[in-house]
Amino acid sequence: MAGKPKLHYTKGRGKMESIRWLLAAAGVEFEEEFIETKEDLEKLRNDGVLLFQQVPMVEMDGMRMVQTRAILSYIAAKYNLYGKDLKERAWIDMYVEGTTDLMGMIMYFPFQPADTKEKNLALIIERATTRYFPVYEKALKDHGQDYLVGNKLSWADVHLLEAILMAEECKPDVLSAFPLLQAFKGRISNIPTIKKFLQPGSQRKPPTDEKFVAVVRKIFNI
């Protein structure tokens, strides 16, 4: 299992996308083995490589890691994106949990019934602009630094940029009332490893469309 990390997931964003983002930000090349059918998933389960019968699963450093949060924490710690002490780590965790909540709403949006979509989209925008983004805007204002924690790039920054771009896919001007986040987006997007990941042809996945929703429903029997 030596060599590049190998990611096992569907050919879409889902819970694996944040793992792709963090590896890319750390400058780590990775391979992907896509689950394209129900049979592909069953094979992984039957082979006994999925600890809780679930994906994402990442083969890395001789381990088969599952559970998104555990995988992300490991990558962040390994590549020095997890703060310098316990207090910084706690702040990174809090910020990450906040963006994860927002991203979860956006991630599940394409899977919701058509008749509730308008209401759910409005809720996503409302939460982004009144509950989540004000926290990060205030943090940047209060300490006057370029990054969220410890004036150094961390998992929290990478996660926030991913969340911002997802929210902008829902509403392009979602950052209109947040000038510091607009500047933050520009800064973090231009970090060379992240800039590379944002270019066409990278392993970043496109937004979830109806075709992909149908594929996921079939694979996971939902």
Side-chain angles (χ1 to χ4, degrees):
M1 277 198 259
K4 296 177 185 176
K6 185 185 277 188
L7 281 49
H8 296 264
Y9 201 65
T10 59
K11 223 178 226 176
R13 288 184 181 177
K15 292 190 172 184
M16 187 65 91
E17 191 71 354
S18 292
I19 296 167
R20 297 182 185 112
W21 265 88
L22 199 57
L23 285 168
V28 179
E29 291 186 3
F30 56 88
E31 298 172 350
E32 300 193 79
E33 196 159 301
F34 294 117
I35 297 165
E36 301 187 73
T37 64
K38 198 187 237 182
E39 290 69 34
D40 291 342
L41 181 61
E42 282 309 311
K43 185 178 187 312
L44 283 176
R45 286 174 172 163
N46 294 335
D47 288 349
V49 298
L50 301 179
L51 194 62
F52 299 111
Q53 308 291 308
Q54 294 171 304
V55 289
M57 189 267 278
V58 173
E59 294 185 66
M60 186 175 180
D61 296 345
M63 294 187 289
R64 290 189 175 107
M65 290 191 285
V66 297
Q67 296 295 350
T68 311
R69 171 81 207 196
I71 298 166
L72 286 164
S73 299
Y74 181 85
I75 295 165
K78 175 167 179 160
Y79 295 104
N80 201 21
L81 294 166
Y82 212 175
K84 69 177 188 300
D85 56 32
L86 275 175
K87 283 189 176 178
E88 285 195 358
R89 186 166 289 199
W91 277 106
I92 289 167
D93 284 340
M94 285 191 280
Y95 289 145
V96 163
E97 289 297 324
T99 39
T100 299
D101 289 346
L102 175 60
M103 285 154 66
M105 293 175 72
I106 300 171
M107 195 187 306
Y108 292 117
F109 176 69
F111 293 87
Q112 291 164 345
D115 59 349
T116 66
K117 284 208 167 162
E118 200 174 319
K119 187 177 77 174
N120 287 321
L121 182 60
L123 181 62
I124 288 168
I125 304 306
E126 189 262 329
R127 288 279 166 82
T129 54
T130 65
R131 179 177 294 187
Y132 297 109
F133 290 162
V135 170
Y136 305 108
E137 183 81 3
K138 184 177 187 299
L140 292 167
K141 185 180 179 186
D142 286 351
H143 61 45
Q145 296 170 342
D146 286 349
Y147 304 102
L148 285 172
V149 180
N151 204 23
K152 180 178 179 291
L153 182 70
S154 76
W155 173 20
D157 302 303
V158 179
H159 218 54
L160 177 55
L161 177 60
E162 184 188 359
I164 285 171
L165 296 181
M166 287 174 74
E168 286 185 334
E169 287 169 356
C170 297
K171 187 174 190 285
D173 66 347
V174 73
L175 287 187
S176 59
F178 304 101
L180 297 180
L181 283 182
Q182 291 173 39
F184 170 89
K185 175 192 160 189
R187 276 196 307 277
I188 307 302
S189 296
N190 277 299
I191 291 168
T193 52
I194 294 174
K195 190 173 185 177
K196 185 179 174 187
F197 188 61
L198 291 172
Q199 299 302 311
S202 81
Q203 287 164 294
R204 186 181 178 215
K205 302 296 179 271
T208 300
D209 58 17
E210 285 182 19
K211 189 178 171 187
F212 185 67
V213 167
V215 170
V216 170
R217 287 193 191 283
K218 206 169 181 181
I219 293 171
F220 294 100
N221 209 21
I222 51 174

PDB file of all heavy atoms in Angstrom, residues 91-122:
ATOM      1  N   TRP A  91      -9.578  25.652  17.717  1.00  0.00           N
ATOM      2  CA  TRP A  91     -10.176  26.674  16.841  1.00  0.00           C
ATOM      3  C   TRP A  91     -10.356  26.144  15.424  1.00  0.00           C
ATOM      4  O   TRP A  91     -11.400  26.361  14.796  1.00  0.00           O
ATOM      5  CB  TRP A  91      -9.323  27.942  16.831  1.00  0.00           C
ATOM      6  CG  TRP A  91      -9.632  28.828  18.000  1.00  0.00           C
ATOM      7  CD1 TRP A  91      -8.878  29.034  19.111  1.00  0.00           C
ATOM      8  CD2 TRP A  91     -10.829  29.605  18.178  1.00  0.00           C
ATOM      9  NE1 TRP A  91      -9.529  29.884  19.970  1.00  0.00           N
ATOM     10  CE2 TRP A  91     -10.718  30.258  19.432  1.00  0.00           C
ATOM     11  CE3 TRP A  91     -11.971  29.800  17.406  1.00  0.00           C
ATOM     12  CZ2 TRP A  91     -11.718  31.098  19.916  1.00  0.00           C
ATOM     13  CZ3 TRP A  91     -12.968  30.646  17.895  1.00  0.00           C
ATOM     14  CH2 TRP A  91     -12.832  31.281  19.134  1.00  0.00           C
ATOM     15  N   ILE A  92      -9.331  25.446  14.935  1.00  0.00           N
ATOM     16  CA  ILE A  92      -9.448  24.857  13.593  1.00  0.00           C
ATOM     17  C   ILE A  92     -10.632  23.901  13.548  1.00  0.00           C
ATOM     18  O   ILE A  92     -11.445  23.934  12.624  1.00  0.00           O
ATOM     19  CB  ILE A  92      -8.125  24.153  13.200  1.00  0.00           C
ATOM     20  CG1 ILE A  92      -7.038  25.201  12.941  1.00  0.00           C
ATOM     21  CG2 ILE A  92      -8.322  23.263  11.964  1.00  0.00           C
ATOM     22  CD1 ILE A  92      -5.629  24.634  12.856  1.00  0.00           C
ATOM     23  N   ASP A  93     -10.762  23.058  14.588  1.00  0.00           N
ATOM     24  CA  ASP A  93     -11.882  22.109  14.644  1.00  0.00           C
ATOM     25  C   ASP A  93     -13.228  22.830  14.640  1.00  0.00           C
ATOM     26  O   ASP A  93     -14.163  22.420  13.944  1.00  0.00           O
ATOM     27  CB  ASP A  93     -11.782  21.231  15.898  1.00  0.00           C
ATOM     28  CG  ASP A  93     -10.732  20.137  15.773  1.00  0.00           C
ATOM     29  OD1 ASP A  93     -10.347  19.806  14.637  1.00  0.00           O
ATOM     30  OD2 ASP A  93     -10.293  19.607  16.809  1.00  0.00           O
ATOM     31  N   MET A  94     -13.333  23.891  15.429  1.00  0.00           N
ATOM     32  CA  MET A  94     -14.612  24.632  15.487  1.00  0.00           C
ATOM     33  C   MET A  94     -14.960  25.234  14.132  1.00  0.00           C
ATOM     34  O   MET A  94     -16.104  25.124  13.665  1.00  0.00           O
ATOM     35  CB  MET A  94     -14.554  25.723  16.564  1.00  0.00           C
ATOM     36  CG  MET A  94     -14.656  25.181  17.977  1.00  0.00           C
ATOM     37  SD  MET A  94     -14.901  26.491  19.200  1.00  0.00           S
ATOM     38  CE  MET A  94     -13.228  27.109  19.406  1.00  0.00           C
ATOM     39  N   TYR A  95     -13.976  25.869  13.503  1.00  0.00           N
ATOM     40  CA  TYR A  95     -14.230  26.476  12.197  1.00  0.00           C
ATOM     41  C   TYR A  95     -14.590  25.416  11.158  1.00  0.00           C
ATOM     42  O   TYR A  95     -15.497  25.605  10.351  1.00  0.00           O
ATOM     43  CB  TYR A  95     -13.009  27.272  11.732  1.00  0.00           C
ATOM     44  CG  TYR A  95     -12.765  28.552  12.499  1.00  0.00           C
ATOM     45  CD1 TYR A  95     -11.473  29.016  12.765  1.00  0.00           C
ATOM     46  CD2 TYR A  95     -13.826  29.332  12.961  1.00  0.00           C
ATOM     47  CE1 TYR A  95     -11.244  30.193  13.451  1.00  0.00           C
ATOM     48  CE2 TYR A  95     -13.611  30.514  13.649  1.00  0.00           C
ATOM     49  CZ  TYR A  95     -12.314  30.933  13.895  1.00  0.00           C
ATOM     50  OH  TYR A  95     -12.101  32.105  14.582  1.00  0.00           O
ATOM     51  N   VAL A  96     -13.869  24.304  11.185  1.00  0.00           N
ATOM     52  CA  VAL A  96     -14.129  23.227  10.233  1.00  0.00           C
ATOM     53  C   VAL A  96     -15.524  22.641  10.436  1.00  0.00           C
ATOM     54  O   VAL A  96     -16.251  22.371   9.466  1.00  0.00           O
ATOM     55  CB  VAL A  96     -13.040  22.133  10.341  1.00  0.00           C
ATOM     56  CG1 VAL A  96     -13.494  20.839   9.682  1.00  0.00           C
ATOM     57  CG2 VAL A  96     -11.736  22.604   9.701  1.00  0.00           C
ATOM     58  N   GLU A  97     -15.916  22.439  11.687  1.00  0.00           N
ATOM     59  CA  GLU A  97     -17.255  21.891  11.949  1.00  0.00           C
ATOM     60  C   GLU A  97     -18.343  22.831  11.418  1.00  0.00           C
ATOM     61  O   GLU A  97     -19.368  22.389  10.892  1.00  0.00           O
ATOM     62  CB  GLU A  97     -17.454  21.649  13.445  1.00  0.00           C
ATOM     63  CG  GLU A  97     -16.638  20.486  14.001  1.00  0.00           C
ATOM     64  CD  GLU A  97     -16.999  19.146  13.404  1.00  0.00           C
ATOM     65  OE1 GLU A  97     -18.185  18.903  13.117  1.00  0.00           O
ATOM     66  OE2 GLU A  97     -16.088  18.324  13.208  1.00  0.00           O
ATOM     67  N   GLY A  98     -18.120  24.136  11.568  1.00  0.00           N
ATOM     68  CA  GLY A  98     -19.084  25.109  11.035  1.00  0.00           C
ATOM     69  C   GLY A  98     -19.205  25.021   9.527  1.00  0.00           C
ATOM     70  O   GLY A  98     -20.319  24.931   8.981  1.00  0.00           O
ATOM     71  N   THR A  99     -18.069  25.004   8.834  1.00  0.00           N
ATOM     72  CA  THR A  99     -18.134  24.930   7.365  1.00  0.00           C
ATOM     73  C   THR A  99     -18.682  23.571   6.918  1.00  0.00           C
ATOM     74  O   THR A  99     -19.384  23.485   5.919  1.00  0.00           O
ATOM     75  CB  THR A  99     -16.749  25.176   6.714  1.00  0.00           C
ATOM     76  OG1 THR A  99     -15.737  24.548   7.490  1.00  0.00           O
ATOM     77  CG2 THR A  99     -16.440  26.647   6.609  1.00  0.00           C
ATOM     78  N   THR A 100     -18.385  22.520   7.686  1.00  0.00           N
ATOM     79  CA  THR A 100     -18.924  21.194   7.355  1.00  0.00           C
ATOM     80  C   THR A 100     -20.445  21.195   7.427  1.00  0.00           C
ATOM     81  O   THR A 100     -21.121  20.596   6.572  1.00  0.00           O
ATOM     82  CB  THR A 100     -18.352  20.122   8.304  1.00  0.00           C
ATOM     83  OG1 THR A 100     -16.923  20.085   8.162  1.00  0.00           O
ATOM     84  CG2 THR A 100     -18.910  18.736   7.984  1.00  0.00           C
ATOM     85  N   ASP A 101     -21.001  21.871   8.422  1.00  0.00           N
ATOM     86  CA  ASP A 101     -22.464  21.958   8.539  1.00  0.00           C
ATOM     87  C   ASP A 101     -23.070  22.653   7.319  1.00  0.00           C
ATOM     88  O   ASP A 101     -24.061  22.196   6.755  1.00  0.00           O
ATOM     89  CB  ASP A 101     -22.855  22.716   9.814  1.00  0.00           C
ATOM     90  CG  ASP A 101     -22.580  21.907  11.083  1.00  0.00           C
ATOM     91  OD1 ASP A 101     -22.345  20.686  10.977  1.00  0.00           O
ATOM     92  OD2 ASP A 101     -22.593  22.505  12.178  1.00  0.00           O
ATOM     93  N   LEU A 102     -22.460  23.770   6.920  1.00  0.00           N
ATOM     94  CA  LEU A 102     -22.958  24.503   5.755  1.00  0.00           C
ATOM     95  C   LEU A 102     -22.804  23.663   4.484  1.00  0.00           C
ATOM     96  O   LEU A 102     -23.733  23.561   3.665  1.00  0.00           O
ATOM     97  CB  LEU A 102     -22.208  25.835   5.605  1.00  0.00           C
ATOM     98  CG  LEU A 102     -22.542  26.654   4.357  1.00  0.00           C
ATOM     99  CD1 LEU A 102     -24.018  27.038   4.312  1.00  0.00           C
ATOM    100  CD2 LEU A 102     -21.659  27.919   4.294  1.00  0.00           C
ATOM    101  N   MET A 103     -21.643  23.049   4.324  1.00  0.00           N
ATOM    102  CA  MET A 103     -21.394  22.246   3.132  1.00  0.00           C
ATOM    103  C   MET A 103     -22.324  21.036   3.067  1.00  0.00           C
ATOM    104  O   MET A 103     -22.728  20.609   1.984  1.00  0.00           O
ATOM    105  CB  MET A 103     -19.934  21.811   3.089  1.00  0.00           C
ATOM    106  CG  MET A 103     -18.999  22.948   2.705  1.00  0.00           C
ATOM    107  SD  MET A 103     -17.313  22.772   3.302  1.00  0.00           S
ATOM    108  CE  MET A 103     -16.754  21.369   2.420  1.00  0.00           C
ATOM    109  N   GLY A 104     -22.677  20.492   4.228  1.00  0.00           N
ATOM    110  CA  GLY A 104     -23.619  19.369   4.268  1.00  0.00           C
ATOM    111  C   GLY A 104     -24.968  19.758   3.688  1.00  0.00           C
ATOM    112  O   GLY A 104     -25.579  19.001   2.909  1.00  0.00           O
ATOM    113  N   MET A 105     -25.437  20.961   4.049  1.00  0.00           N
ATOM    114  CA  MET A 105     -26.714  21.447   3.501  1.00  0.00           C
ATOM    115  C   MET A 105     -26.649  21.538   1.979  1.00  0.00           C
ATOM    116  O   MET A 105     -27.577  21.147   1.271  1.00  0.00           O
ATOM    117  CB  MET A 105     -27.049  22.830   4.075  1.00  0.00           C
ATOM    118  CG  MET A 105     -27.346  22.847   5.562  1.00  0.00           C
ATOM    119  SD  MET A 105     -27.588  24.547   6.156  1.00  0.00           S
ATOM    120  CE  MET A 105     -29.188  24.943   5.430  1.00  0.00           C
ATOM    121  N   ILE A 106     -25.526  22.063   1.478  1.00  0.00           N
ATOM    122  CA  ILE A 106     -25.369  22.238   0.029  1.00  0.00           C
ATOM    123  C   ILE A 106     -25.216  20.879  -0.660  1.00  0.00           C
ATOM    124  O   ILE A 106     -25.772  20.634  -1.733  1.00  0.00           O
ATOM    125  CB  ILE A 106     -24.170  23.153  -0.283  1.00  0.00           C
ATOM    126  CG1 ILE A 106     -24.371  24.540   0.357  1.00  0.00           C
ATOM    127  CG2 ILE A 106     -23.958  23.282  -1.792  1.00  0.00           C
ATOM    128  CD1 ILE A 106     -23.153  25.449   0.303  1.00  0.00           C
ATOM    129  N   MET A 107     -24.483  19.968  -0.007  1.00  0.00           N
ATOM    130  CA  MET A 107     -24.227  18.646  -0.578  1.00  0.00           C
ATOM    131  C   MET A 107     -25.516  17.847  -0.778  1.00  0.00           C
ATOM    132  O   MET A 107     -25.684  17.140  -1.774  1.00  0.00           O
ATOM    133  CB  MET A 107     -23.291  17.882   0.365  1.00  0.00           C
ATOM    134  CG  MET A 107     -22.636  16.655  -0.223  1.00  0.00           C
ATOM    135  SD  MET A 107     -21.723  15.715   1.057  1.00  0.00           S
ATOM    136  CE  MET A 107     -20.650  16.954   1.741  1.00  0.00           C
ATOM    137  N   TYR A 108     -26.434  17.964   0.190  1.00  0.00           N
ATOM    138  CA  TYR A 108     -27.666  17.175   0.110  1.00  0.00           C
ATOM    139  C   TYR A 108     -28.760  17.866  -0.706  1.00  0.00           C
ATOM    140  O   TYR A 108     -29.761  17.247  -1.042  1.00  0.00           O
ATOM    141  CB  TYR A 108     -28.180  16.849   1.524  1.00  0.00           C
ATOM    142  CG  TYR A 108     -27.261  15.902   2.247  1.00  0.00           C
ATOM    143  CD1 TYR A 108     -26.606  16.283   3.408  1.00  0.00           C
ATOM    144  CD2 TYR A 108     -27.015  14.619   1.743  1.00  0.00           C
ATOM    145  CE1 TYR A 108     -25.727  15.414   4.058  1.00  0.00           C
ATOM    146  CE2 TYR A 108     -26.156  13.745   2.381  1.00  0.00           C
ATOM    147  CZ  TYR A 108     -25.509  14.147   3.541  1.00  0.00           C
ATOM    148  OH  TYR A 108     -24.643  13.291   4.173  1.00  0.00           O
ATOM    149  N   PHE A 109     -28.550  19.118  -1.064  1.00  0.00           N
ATOM    150  CA  PHE A 109     -29.549  19.884  -1.801  1.00  0.00           C
ATOM    151  C   PHE A 109     -30.003  19.198  -3.098  1.00  0.00           C
ATOM    152  O   PHE A 109     -31.208  19.078  -3.352  1.00  0.00           O
ATOM    153  CB  PHE A 109     -29.025  21.305  -2.076  1.00  0.00           C
ATOM    154  CG  PHE A 109     -29.943  22.142  -2.910  1.00  0.00           C
ATOM    155  CD1 PHE A 109     -31.162  22.588  -2.412  1.00  0.00           C
ATOM    156  CD2 PHE A 109     -29.594  22.483  -4.209  1.00  0.00           C
ATOM    157  CE1 PHE A 109     -32.013  23.359  -3.188  1.00  0.00           C
ATOM    158  CE2 PHE A 109     -30.441  23.251  -4.996  1.00  0.00           C
ATOM    159  CZ  PHE A 109     -31.649  23.688  -4.485  1.00  0.00           C
ATOM    160  N   PRO A 110     -29.077  18.696  -3.936  1.00  0.00           N
ATOM    161  CA  PRO A 110     -29.523  18.069  -5.200  1.00  0.00           C
ATOM    162  C   PRO A 110     -30.351  16.796  -5.004  1.00  0.00           C
ATOM    163  O   PRO A 110     -31.027  16.349  -5.923  1.00  0.00           O
ATOM    164  CB  PRO A 110     -28.201  17.740  -5.916  1.00  0.00           C
ATOM    165  CG  PRO A 110     -27.160  18.573  -5.264  1.00  0.00           C
ATOM    166  CD  PRO A 110     -27.600  18.729  -3.846  1.00  0.00           C
ATOM    167  N   PHE A 111     -30.286  16.208  -3.812  1.00  0.00           N
ATOM    168  CA  PHE A 111     -31.002  14.960  -3.555  1.00  0.00           C
ATOM    169  C   PHE A 111     -32.408  15.191  -2.992  1.00  0.00           C
ATOM    170  O   PHE A 111     -33.145  14.250  -2.752  1.00  0.00           O
ATOM    171  CB  PHE A 111     -30.194  14.091  -2.573  1.00  0.00           C
ATOM    172  CG  PHE A 111     -28.895  13.598  -3.155  1.00  0.00           C
ATOM    173  CD1 PHE A 111     -27.742  14.371  -3.071  1.00  0.00           C
ATOM    174  CD2 PHE A 111     -28.830  12.381  -3.810  1.00  0.00           C
ATOM    175  CE1 PHE A 111     -26.548  13.936  -3.624  1.00  0.00           C
ATOM    176  CE2 PHE A 111     -27.638  11.929  -4.369  1.00  0.00           C
ATOM    177  CZ  PHE A 111     -26.492  12.704  -4.270  1.00  0.00           C
ATOM    178  N   GLN A 112     -32.760  16.462  -2.779  1.00  0.00           N
ATOM    179  CA  GLN A 112     -34.055  16.763  -2.161  1.00  0.00           C
ATOM    180  C   GLN A 112     -35.160  16.842  -3.211  1.00  0.00           C
ATOM    181  O   GLN A 112     -34.897  17.120  -4.386  1.00  0.00           O
ATOM    182  CB  GLN A 112     -33.943  18.063  -1.361  1.00  0.00           C
ATOM    183  CG  GLN A 112     -33.052  17.884  -0.134  1.00  0.00           C
ATOM    184  CD  GLN A 112     -32.605  19.188   0.478  1.00  0.00           C
ATOM    185  OE1 GLN A 112     -32.706  20.251  -0.127  1.00  0.00           O
ATOM    186  NE2 GLN A 112     -32.103  19.119   1.696  1.00  0.00           N
ATOM    187  N   PRO A 113     -36.402  16.611  -2.783  1.00  0.00           N
ATOM    188  CA  PRO A 113     -37.522  16.641  -3.734  1.00  0.00           C
ATOM    189  C   PRO A 113     -37.659  18.006  -4.415  1.00  0.00           C
ATOM    190  O   PRO A 113     -37.392  19.043  -3.789  1.00  0.00           O
ATOM    191  CB  PRO A 113     -38.752  16.363  -2.852  1.00  0.00           C
ATOM    192  CG  PRO A 113     -38.222  15.791  -1.579  1.00  0.00           C
ATOM    193  CD  PRO A 113     -36.838  16.316  -1.411  1.00  0.00           C
ATOM    194  N   ALA A 114     -38.078  17.980  -5.663  1.00  0.00           N
ATOM    195  CA  ALA A 114     -38.180  19.205  -6.463  1.00  0.00           C
ATOM    196  C   ALA A 114     -39.067  20.257  -5.801  1.00  0.00           C
ATOM    197  O   ALA A 114     -38.770  21.462  -5.856  1.00  0.00           O
ATOM    198  CB  ALA A 114     -38.699  18.874  -7.855  1.00  0.00           C
ATOM    199  N   ASP A 115     -40.145  19.805  -5.142  1.00  0.00           N
ATOM    200  CA  ASP A 115     -41.088  20.781  -4.585  1.00  0.00           C
ATOM    201  C   ASP A 115     -40.568  21.490  -3.331  1.00  0.00           C
ATOM    202  O   ASP A 115     -41.161  22.459  -2.870  1.00  0.00           O
ATOM    203  CB  ASP A 115     -42.445  20.120  -4.282  1.00  0.00           C
ATOM    204  CG  ASP A 115     -42.334  18.966  -3.300  1.00  0.00           C
ATOM    205  OD1 ASP A 115     -41.188  18.541  -3.012  1.00  0.00           O
ATOM    206  OD2 ASP A 115     -43.383  18.498  -2.814  1.00  0.00           O
ATOM    207  N   THR A 116     -39.430  21.027  -2.779  1.00  0.00           N
ATOM    208  CA  THR A 116     -38.870  21.703  -1.593  1.00  0.00           C
ATOM    209  C   THR A 116     -37.587  22.465  -1.924  1.00  0.00           C
ATOM    210  O   THR A 116     -37.011  23.115  -1.065  1.00  0.00           O
ATOM    211  CB  THR A 116     -38.549  20.681  -0.473  1.00  0.00           C
ATOM    212  OG1 THR A 116     -37.495  19.817  -0.928  1.00  0.00           O
ATOM    213  CG2 THR A 116     -39.760  19.859  -0.097  1.00  0.00           C
ATOM    214  N   LYS A 117     -37.165  22.379  -3.185  1.00  0.00           N
ATOM    215  CA  LYS A 117     -35.847  22.935  -3.530  1.00  0.00           C
ATOM    216  C   LYS A 117     -35.755  24.445  -3.318  1.00  0.00           C
ATOM    217  O   LYS A 117     -34.754  24.942  -2.808  1.00  0.00           O
ATOM    218  CB  LYS A 117     -35.465  22.564  -4.965  1.00  0.00           C
ATOM    219  CG  LYS A 117     -35.008  21.114  -5.063  1.00  0.00           C
ATOM    220  CD  LYS A 117     -34.044  20.893  -6.198  1.00  0.00           C
ATOM    221  CE  LYS A 117     -33.388  19.518  -6.030  1.00  0.00           C
ATOM    222  NZ  LYS A 117     -32.787  19.036  -7.235  1.00  0.00           N
ATOM    223  N   GLU A 118     -36.789  25.152  -3.721  1.00  0.00           N
ATOM    224  CA  GLU A 118     -36.754  26.614  -3.577  1.00  0.00           C
ATOM    225  C   GLU A 118     -36.590  27.011  -2.114  1.00  0.00           C
ATOM    226  O   GLU A 118     -35.779  27.859  -1.768  1.00  0.00           O
ATOM    227  CB  GLU A 118     -38.041  27.217  -4.159  1.00  0.00           C
ATOM    228  CG  GLU A 118     -37.896  28.690  -4.497  1.00  0.00           C
ATOM    229  CD  GLU A 118     -39.139  29.240  -5.200  1.00  0.00           C
ATOM    230  OE1 GLU A 118     -39.707  28.549  -6.070  1.00  0.00           O
ATOM    231  OE2 GLU A 118     -39.531  30.349  -4.836  1.00  0.00           O
ATOM    232  N   LYS A 119     -37.362  26.360  -1.255  1.00  0.00           N
ATOM    233  CA  LYS A 119     -37.310  26.650   0.178  1.00  0.00           C
ATOM    234  C   LYS A 119     -35.936  26.278   0.760  1.00  0.00           C
ATOM    235  O   LYS A 119     -35.361  27.035   1.544  1.00  0.00           O
ATOM    236  CB  LYS A 119     -38.412  25.853   0.891  1.00  0.00           C
ATOM    237  CG  LYS A 119     -38.573  26.192   2.366  1.00  0.00           C
ATOM    238  CD  LYS A 119     -39.722  25.422   3.013  1.00  0.00           C
ATOM    239  CE  LYS A 119     -39.316  24.001   3.296  1.00  0.00           C
ATOM    240  NZ  LYS A 119     -40.326  23.231   4.039  1.00  0.00           N
ATOM    241  N   ASN A 120     -35.404  25.136   0.337  1.00  0.00           N
ATOM    242  CA  ASN A 120     -34.112  24.692   0.851  1.00  0.00           C
ATOM    243  C   ASN A 120     -32.967  25.565   0.364  1.00  0.00           C
ATOM    244  O   ASN A 120     -32.017  25.827   1.112  1.00  0.00           O
ATOM    245  CB  ASN A 120     -33.858  23.229   0.462  1.00  0.00           C
ATOM    246  CG  ASN A 120     -34.721  22.285   1.269  1.00  0.00           C
ATOM    247  OD1 ASN A 120     -34.931  22.491   2.459  1.00  0.00           O
ATOM    248  ND2 ASN A 120     -35.233  21.241   0.642  1.00  0.00           N
ATOM    249  N   LEU A 121     -33.057  26.039  -0.870  1.00  0.00           N
ATOM    250  CA  LEU A 121     -32.026  26.943  -1.381  1.00  0.00           C
ATOM    251  C   LEU A 121     -32.030  28.246  -0.589  1.00  0.00           C
ATOM    252  O   LEU A 121     -30.964  28.760  -0.206  1.00  0.00           O
ATOM    253  CB  LEU A 121     -32.257  27.225  -2.875  1.00  0.00           C
ATOM    254  CG  LEU A 121     -31.220  28.132  -3.538  1.00  0.00           C
ATOM    255  CD1 LEU A 121     -29.821  27.523  -3.460  1.00  0.00           C
ATOM    256  CD2 LEU A 121     -31.587  28.400  -4.994  1.00  0.00           C
ATOM    257  N   ALA A 122     -33.217  28.760  -0.313  1.00  0.00           N
ATOM    258  CA  ALA A 122     -33.333  29.995   0.485  1.00  0.00           C
ATOM    259  C   ALA A 122     -32.735  29.795   1.874  1.00  0.00           C
ATOM    260  O   ALA A 122     -32.066  30.690   2.416  1.00  0.00           O
ATOM    261  CB  ALA A 122     -34.798  30.415   0.593  1.00  0.00           C
TER     262      ALA A 122
END
